[in-house]
Amino acid sequence: MNYGFFRTAAASLKLKVADPCYNCEEIKKAIDTAFNAGARLLVTPELSITGYTCADLFFTSSLQNAAKKALGGIVSHTKGKNIAVVVGMPVEYRNSLYNCAVVAFDGKIMGAVPKTHIANYNEFYEKRWFASGKYFSEPRAVTLCGEEIKIGSRLFDLGGGAVLGIELCEDLWVPNPPSGSLALQGANIIANLSASDEYVSKAQYRRELIAGQSARCVSAYIYAGASVHESTTDLVFSGATAVAENGAIIGEGERFCRETVVTFADVDIEKLNALRRSNTSFENSPCAAQTVDCRIKNNENDLKYRFVDPHPFVPANDEKRRERCKEIFSIQAAGLAKRLEHIGSTGTVIGISGGLDSTLALLVSVEAMRLLGKKNSDILGVTLPGFGTTGRTYNNAVSLMESLGVTVKEISIKEACILHMKDIEHDPSNKDITYENTQARERTQILFDLANKHSKLLVGTGDLSELAMGWCTYNGDHMSMYGVNASVPKTLVRYLVEYAAGVSDEKTAAILYDILDTPVSPELLPPDKNGEIAQKTEENIGPYELHDFFLYHFVRFGFDKSKLAFLAKKAFGDKYGDDEIEKWLEVFIKRFFISQFKRSCIPDSPKVGSVSLSPRGDWRMPSDASFEDFLK
């Protein structure tokens, strides 16, 4: 299966200026390279058949005729090949020349799209040779290589939901690029045939333009730039090639190469269409551009040219990860500070377990106190040891509170839980779900009552991953007065605590690093005979990194089970076997569906990322929806 992926290619060509015959052969080589690699679309630079820097030679009939002949050879070369090819050349219509992109597929010319915005400033003076395509109110008929084709704004239906729109070079650099209109008319792949010269700092700006336009259009953007083989009379071109998808560069070629460079990327059409459907601001517009049918067979895709991030919530780059963590802390603390200020609270109450989530909530509370000009002692940290509490987590909880200067209180829940189990006639030796949830609810009751007693706000500690999996006790740790971690996934919680350790004093950092090394556990079952944690969450419900991966792609893009498994196998490689991925994926789907009733009544909490399960904003589903079809 192709799972909605569409392989694209952008080529920067080794060429000779004003030698269409030579350039034709180089384009053919690029077509073969792209086709043999399984690409379904190849985009070449602006005026790739002639070269961009021909200047007044564009006016000569010799160059124009040679370009048409070269086009004929290129079009013939596409016969029987399952790939659409976009090349650049001057096209004459009546009394004017137009700088055009010509689309060829299976031995036919599918249409020509003229450049709209003609650069005519600084080093550019294209209006000397070319007219603007903006004067075409509708496509016009023109004869090219013996075929009558249409020239004008067009969309090209490539099949499988992929629709191609085209703009040329300067069209991207103007305030209102044609690609915006093309996207609103249905194009989810934008090709840009370009000849952008190089000077200091321009490359980064161009890269940002490409990524930014793909984000605004919720599309793929394929950029193919003119190479170093253009004339160097006054300018140097670098042969920049790039493919962006919804704001991210997913493929990029080396610049300043002497040989042809073909850059590949596997674009996720299904993802783009899903994002558009969920974004109600992305409204369709009346279709002015005609659509040409050139459907390409796209049965399989092995994702050879796409990186699938195993940790989509966590930036791989250290510097970016630190910036992300700093920003998330700021969002969490600002939200908590506003709530405390609004209700006139004297501070916060937090149950501190010595685990990652409560540690993060405590650190956020400390920052909120700083923002409000309050003392850390206004935070009441409560350790609530129960039947499963180990010495390691208990000591870390107490040590961290003391190191941060918060007010420490210890209340054992053992006697209260035994009395409660006696009241409900439950045998304490039966360590079932009732045994576990009794402890979680007892802790929550104590924390709420302490918050009331001291006029403080009870801060929730549960994270996004736990909400997704329902790994929380209903009206136990599930409930609070404000949940600072509710949209932070477990894989990111770890890095937030690590970030905090990096900016803390030596004593606090040492405690935080030990907490980071502690297995994730609710500690509701007694420790093993060595006093170590016996109840390890990931042994029960599976690896959080897998569940966070499933969560991201399911909630953001609505991918089905087969595509989630396919992407996970690509992302994690040999770390997990196919059967293991299938097993935990089924667990994820079942738990995600049956746990919606818990998410339907969660406390207020700040959104910090693109995925949130708040029933008031991002995610709404019936609590009794069936998961059967989602498992197939």
Side-chain angles (χ1 to χ4, degrees), residues 461-479:
T461 62
D463 63 45
L464 178 68
S465 306
E466 291 178 343
L467 287 172
M469 300 296 289
W471 195 250
C472 54
T473 299
Y474 191 83
N475 207 34
D477 54 311
H478 156 262
M479 193 48 61

Side-chain angles (χ1 to χ4, degrees), residues 30-44:
I31 292 172
D32 290 341
T33 298
F35 175 70
N36 291 334
R40 303 299 176 226
L41 172 66
L42 171 66
V43 180
T44 65

